[in-house]
Amino acid sequence: MSYPGPWSRCVAAGILLATLLAAGCVHAPQNAPLNGAPAHAYRLTPRQPAKERQDLLLAVFFSGGGSRAAALSYGVLKTLHEARIGAATGETSLLEQVDAISAVSGGAITAAYYCLFGDELFHGFERTVLTHNIERDLILRALRPDNLYRLASPYYGRSDLAATYYDQEIFRRKTFGDLAQLPNRPFLIINATDMSTGARVGFTQASFDVIGSDLSAFPIGRAVAASTAVPLLLTPVTLHNYAANSPREQLGSRSSEAALSERFARMIEDLNSYRESPDRRYVHLVDGGVADNLGIRAMQEFTMLNGGLVSSLQRLNLSRVTKVAVIVVDASVRFDGAWDKREATPGTLGVMKAISQSVLSRGNYETTDLFRRSMELWQQQLREERHRTADGGELPELGFYFIRLDFAAADPEERKFFYNVRTDLSLSRAAAGKIIAAAGTLLRENAEYQRLLHDLSSETARSL
């Protein structure tokens, strides 16, 4: 048997070195700088009069949790699609009355698909996306020679590979500019987390204004990849910060609500950091669940930046709203206490799993509690404002509906099954079917949801 000589080994080493150097030149797609006003800017705009129920503001929030969250979100959308409510022109689907969807990680996959393709969601999504083994596809793609070459670059990570997959295989290369041109769709907010500050980053043009970037050409699939970039398992998605070249506009104005909390000051501090720190040339985004696994801070922060709920409703042409309904879909699992039954010291993986579950569960509780208190304050502010401007006329009754869905309300045996569904991007048809059915049951049996349907029916009867 002969072995390569010194010259052959040098040639091989040179080829390997050249390959690695060439791979170092591979870059992930870059976000574009903002040059003037985008032709199709993806912004939250005033509601058009075309919506059937002008008296209702309906926002839906989808949590993270891999395919488990995607399936639970799908089940809720399916149930809303089937729910019929009265309108001036007859009956309409309650899903068609949703104004906004804010989503995180796995929930963002379902939310983005619906906002892009509408009712097509109910004719193929379950088969082609929900129960498709996306995790297997990503692993096989990563092992391809061309992708191994790309992954050797420090400027191209595993989440960039996932972004390409989502863009090509699920979202059909659609961008936020495409989404901006679709009429009568809920406003979609895909949430990620700034790795350096821990702040929530929503994929809207308002957020991209802060870093001087144009969101229009940004792929939906890449935003979803950022929202699902679980730390350690996947790499961050990197954005260029062009804030040095963007106009320095005032960010928000204090309202009575914001003055009660240091959260407003911290939010402004985080936003200004993109403009004021010369070292912040890049923004590295990880899973949205790190900042807020429920996605509901998007609504809180929007109202704070716009001076409170009253001014926010006025800005969005929602002055006729008498019912504010929020549906929070939480696919997280609770701590199962398995380690509490053993004396043995938990291993590294067991500790990581238990801590991640307990931190997410505690964080969801704190976020929900804060949101409930914000809703109480909004209700009080709205009442005071309408009394002040009523001029002696009869005020319409205000209704606030907080509809929270999670597996804790399921049957104990089913709950145990749901808690054991892995948080990844692979889901069997049997598991998907159970989760979708549970979503419908949880929503239909929710007391606040029943109250909303009753009040919508009563209001329709009075108007006829």
Side-chain angles (χ1 to χ4, degrees), residues 110-444:
T110 305
Y113 196 96
Y114 172 68
C115 290
L116 278 171
F117 307 122
D119 288 354
E120 185 181 328
L121 177 79
F122 310 113
H123 306 283
F125 178 82
E126 186 176 345
R127 175 179 54 83
T128 61
V129 179
L130 199 55
T131 60
H132 186 80
N133 196 329
I134 295 174
E135 186 168 293
R136 179 197 59 202
D137 283 0
L138 291 176
I139 292 172
L140 291 176
R141 281 204 171 202
L143 294 175
R144 280 174 20 188
D146 57 337
N147 286 326
L148 286 173
Y149 172 77
R150 293 186 180 93
L151 291 170
S153 169
Y155 310 111
Y156 190 96
R158 294 184 297 278
S159 287
D160 299 312
L161 189 67
T164 301
Y165 176 86
Y166 295 148
D167 186 41
Q168 295 174 350
E169 304 298 330
I170 299 178
F171 300 113
R172 307 173 197 171
R173 302 183 187 274
K174 298 295 185 181
T175 66
F176 283 92
D178 296 323
L179 189 57
Q181 298 180 70
L182 296 175
N184 304 321
R185 297 283 169 81
F187 186 74
L188 171 68
I189 306 173
I190 298 174
N191 298 282
T193 302
D194 184 327
M195 185 182 74
S196 297
T197 64
R200 183 194 67 86
V201 176
F203 281 87
T204 68
Q205 186 56 56
S207 293
F208 269 49
D209 284 344
V210 177
I211 61 172
S213 182
D214 184 354
L215 183 64
S216 299
F218 200 90
I220 300 291
R222 191 160 177 78
V224 170
S227 188
T228 58
V230 179
L232 301 182
L233 180 62
L234 292 167
T235 53
V237 169
T238 300
L239 303 179
H240 279 249
N241 181 10
Y242 305 102
N245 302 322
S246 64
R248 299 182 62 82
E249 299 177 1
Q250 182 182 2
L251 295 173
S253 58
R254 280 190 178 270
S255 66
S256 57
E257 172 193 1
L260 297 176
S261 172
E262 288 301 314
R263 289 187 66 249
F264 179 81
R266 179 59 185 270
M267 180 174 61
I268 296 300
E269 180 183 335
D270 289 337
L271 291 173
N272 282 329
S273 71
Y274 297 112
R275 298 174 174 177
E276 295 174 353
S277 175
D279 296 328
R280 300 213 69 192
R281 292 179 293 172
Y282 302 95
V283 183
H284 301 286
L285 301 178
V286 296
D287 194 303
V290 175
D292 170 21
N293 195 48
L294 299 177
I296 60 180
R297 292 190 180 181
M299 185 172 180
Q300 290 175 300
E301 292 175 2
F302 178 82
T303 59
M304 284 196 289
L305 283 172
N306 287 279
L309 183 64
V310 174
S311 58
S312 297
L313 292 178
Q314 292 171 346
R315 175 183 173 182
L316 297 175
N317 193 27
L318 297 171
S319 57
R320 295 173 60 186
V321 164
T322 60
K323 299 174 183 62
V324 178
V326 169
I327 301 177
V328 178
V329 183
D330 182 3
S332 65
V333 299
R334 306 281 179 86
F335 174 59
D336 59 10
W339 282 106
D340 293 346
K341 303 173 184 177
R342 312 174 196 172
E343 183 181 1
T345 301
T348 302
L349 292 178
V351 170
M352 290 179 63
K353 179 180 178 182
I355 288 178
S356 63
Q357 287 180 352
S358 60
V359 168
L360 276 179
S361 179
R362 179 65 60 178
N364 288 353
Y365 169 78
E366 298 291 345
T367 301
T368 301
D369 181 64
L370 178 63
F371 191 78
R372 285 182 185 274
R373 288 189 278 123
S374 294
M375 287 191 72
E376 291 172 359
L377 182 57
W378 293 338
Q379 191 170 15
Q380 178 184 342
Q381 290 175 343
L382 202 52
R383 281 200 182 114
E384 290 174 355
E385 175 65 16
R386 291 191 171 178
H387 274 291
R388 187 179 66 81
T389 58
D391 297 326
E394 183 178 352
L395 287 169
E397 183 179 352
L398 292 172
F400 277 68
Y401 309 81
F402 186 78
I403 302 163
R404 188 176 189 278
L405 309 175
D406 64 15
F407 293 122
D411 173 87
E413 283 302 313
E414 286 192 332
R415 183 166 64 243
K416 184 177 179 181
F417 170 82
F418 298 139
Y419 283 3
N420 285 309
V421 175
R422 294 192 309 164
T423 306
D424 56 19
L425 293 176
S426 61
L427 193 65
S428 69
R429 291 188 179 182
K434 280 192 173 184
I435 294 172
I436 293 167
T441 301
L442 290 172
L443 181 57
R444 287 188 293 268

Side-chain angles (χ1 to χ4, degrees), residues 439-458:
T441 301
L442 290 172
L443 181 57
R444 287 188 293 268
E445 294 182 355
N446 183 278
E448 279 288 276
Y449 179 69
Q450 292 176 359
R451 183 169 72 91
L452 172 63
L453 293 180
H454 174 270
D455 291 353
L456 289 171
S457 299
S458 300

